[in-house]
Amino acid sequence: MVVAGMTEEVVDGGGGPVVFVVREFDGGRDRVGVERVEGDCEVGPSGGKLCLFTDLLGDPLCRVRHSPAYLMLVAEAVGGPLGTEIVGVVRGCVKTVACGSSRVFSKVAYLLGLRVSPRHRRIGIGRKLVERMEEWFRQMGADYAYVATDCDNEPSVRLFTGACGYAKFRTPSVLVHPVFGHDLAPSRRASVVQLDAREAELLYRGRFGSVEFFPQDIDAVLSNSLSLGTFLALPHGTRWHGVEEFLTSPPESWAVASLWNCKDAFRLEVRGAPRLWRAAARATRVADRAAPWLGIPSIPNLFEPFGLHFVYGLGGDGPGGPRLARALFRHAHNVARRAGARVVATEVGACEPLRAGVPHWPRLGAVDLWCIKRLADGYGDGALGDWTKAPPGPSIFVDPREF
């Protein structure tokens, strides 16, 4: 039943009836319980030898609080063997994004951070959290809801595509590169220009306004305190005369990307690595410190909480676009090194033209599965129709506020 935004259900988990309450997160009394659930739940494929865990740095809302509208729900077990405890959590946010090449915008909800305590899985708690969040999405006027999960996380995929009625939609890749103990040499074939927030907004709206999931409030993203700047890579020797001239007459090849400081929002930690792997990674760091001029690809310590920088808004044009994108990522690596981040990550569409220029280590990345569901009744916008059935475009815009 749903009463004043609260859902209750009685479940017999084998030790007698337990009441599960789904309600809005209360920062005053729920923070410790949410952190406990987060600490018990790995990110990515379930049951692997290597597991990735999240440290929210004391702020359970950190992954959604920068979105235009957001909500966090918890599932609370009442009457179980441990008394009252938080056993599940989910976050959601609502924003307006581009739905395709016709520059049609739609209000879209994003569901993320679904966690259920390992001791309370397979009794419907995850589904109840999703259904309750979808109620809020509809109240906020969202036309669609989407969720990202790891392609190899079979229980999560079954939950969303089976019990919750989502359809498989897009398969972007998370590409990750470690930050070495030494700077990477800047490209001699490219010049990197930093744009101010106004220039970056004009460029993104002018050239990326029709890219799927492009946020209508891109100005709020670019001006956020976690956004570290927007950088444009041009062929070496190209003179920069401002964004207006660039939009009127761009060079044959160029690439642009922005940086987001995830390190100050949350940390990650790899658990389950064999001792041999840890020792080998440590040896590369020692060698890099002893002889930095050799440029040894040292592996940072990922076996304790570490921070990352996220590259978003990647795009460009021309035959030299991938090469210029590589120059941007070398610059991003050096920015991350000075800030103490240990990895640089990005997420790109399956057909992203600049993907070949993104340096990454395949073992550190993953393939995501984005699933989508239409929430609104009917199809009010004839220019869009049913977005859930639209073919993918070459690029996709991944909002850093929800990474």
Side-chain angles (χ1 to χ4, degrees):
M1 62 180 179
V2 178
V3 180
M6 182 180 296
T7 304
E8 294 186 5
E9 183 164 334
V10 179
V11 175
D12 191 338
V18 178
V19 177
F20 289 95
V21 178
V22 176
R23 57 173 174 78
E24 187 172 347
F25 167 74
D26 182 330
R29 61 171 170 153
D30 296 336
R31 183 180 60 81
V32 173
V34 168
E35 289 179 342
R36 185 180 300 114
V37 172
E38 291 282 352
D40 289 341
C41 298
E42 72 274 14
V43 180
S46 180
K49 293 182 179 179
L50 288 180
C51 298
L52 189 65
F53 291 81
T54 306
D55 178 359
L56 300 178
L57 303 179
D59 181 10
L61 291 168
C62 65
R63 294 186 62 200
V64 291
R65 68 165 59 256
H66 298 284
S67 297
Y70 60 88
L71 178 69
M72 180 171 172
L73 300 175
V74 298
E76 186 176 53
V78 181
L82 299 179
T84 300
E85 61 173 326
I86 301 297
V87 298
V89 61
V90 71
R91 301 161 182 84
C93 52
V94 178
K95 61 186 178 181
T96 301
V97 304
C99 300
S101 58
S102 59
R103 289 183 179 261
V104 173
F105 281 81
S106 183
K107 186 171 283 191
V108 173
Y110 182 47
L111 193 150
L112 72 161
L114 176 64
R115 307 277 189 265
V116 177
S117 170
R119 294 182 294 105
H120 295 87
R121 292 174 181 171
R122 291 181 292 278
I123 57 175
I125 294 176
R127 179 173 56 83
K128 285 297 180 183
L129 284 165
V130 172
E131 290 174 351
R132 177 64 187 88
M133 184 61 75
E134 288 178 349
E135 291 179 19
W136 180 72
F137 289 162
R138 291 186 175 93
Q139 292 170 10
M140 296 297 294
D143 298 310
Y144 298 90
Y146 74 105
V147 63
T149 188
D150 193 290
C151 279
D152 295 327
N153 191 334
E154 294 180 4
S156 179
V157 174
R158 285 198 303 270
L159 170 66
F160 287 107
T161 61
C164 297
Y166 285 71
K168 296 180 180 180
F169 190 57
R170 302 289 182 255
T171 54
S173 295
V174 179
L175 307 180
V176 182
H177 193 280
V179 174
F180 302 144
H182 60 276
D183 274 357
L184 298 181
S187 172
R188 296 180 178 179
R189 302 171 62 189
S191 300
V192 176
V193 178
Q194 182 168 2
L195 308 182
D196 61 34
R198 183 194 69 88
E199 292 175 321
E201 181 186 352
L202 287 174
L203 191 155
Y204 276 125
R205 291 196 188 278
R207 297 302 298 259
F208 296 87
S210 60
V211 171
E212 272 191 327
F213 293 96
F214 177 79
Q216 193 175 55
D217 65 335
I218 184 65
D219 53 325
V221 179
L222 296 169
S223 61
N224 190 283
S225 61
L226 294 177
S227 192
L228 300 175
T230 299
F231 302 89
L232 178 68
L234 304 168
H236 183 71
T238 303
R239 299 188 65 180
W240 173 250
H241 295 289
V243 68
E244 288 84 0
E245 181 172 321
F246 174 85
L247 290 172
T248 301
S249 181
E252 181 184 29
S253 298
W254 56 276
V256 66
S258 300
L259 303 182
W260 187 268
N261 179 18
C262 295
K263 181 175 72 70
D264 288 349
F266 62 86
R267 304 287 173 91
L268 300 172
E269 179 182 358
V270 176
R271 299 179 190 170
R275 291 183 179 179
L276 181 61
W277 290 19
R278 293 171 178 262
R282 188 163 51 248
T284 66
R285 296 194 297 273
V286 171
D288 195 7
R289 286 195 299 268
W293 60 87
L294 294 178
I296 296 172
S298 56
I299 303 173
N301 184 5
L302 307 180
F303 311 115
E304 62 182 29
F306 66 90
L308 66 89
H309 280 182
F310 183 69
V311 178
Y312 70 98
L314 175 67
D317 201 5
R323 170 176 54 81
L324 295 171
R326 181 171 294 273
L328 289 176
F329 276 85
R330 295 176 77 87
H331 179 77
H333 171 282
N334 296 341
V335 172
R337 178 177 177 271
R338 289 190 290 273
R342 294 184 194 164
V343 300
V344 173
T346 192
E347 188 164 12
V348 297
C351 302
E352 171 56 52
L354 300 189
R355 180 180 179 138
V358 179
H360 63 282
W361 288 21
R363 282 197 174 189
L364 297 179
V367 177
D368 266 356
L369 172 63
W370 287 19
C371 300
I372 195 168
K373 177 179 182 178
R374 183 166 179 89
L375 300 176
D377 296 326
Y379 302 95
D381 195 322
L384 174 61
D386 186 357
W387 188 24
T388 67
K389 296 179 174 59
S395 300
I396 197 168
F397 195 102
V398 180
D399 195 322
R401 297 173 294 188
E402 299 144 14
F403 178 73

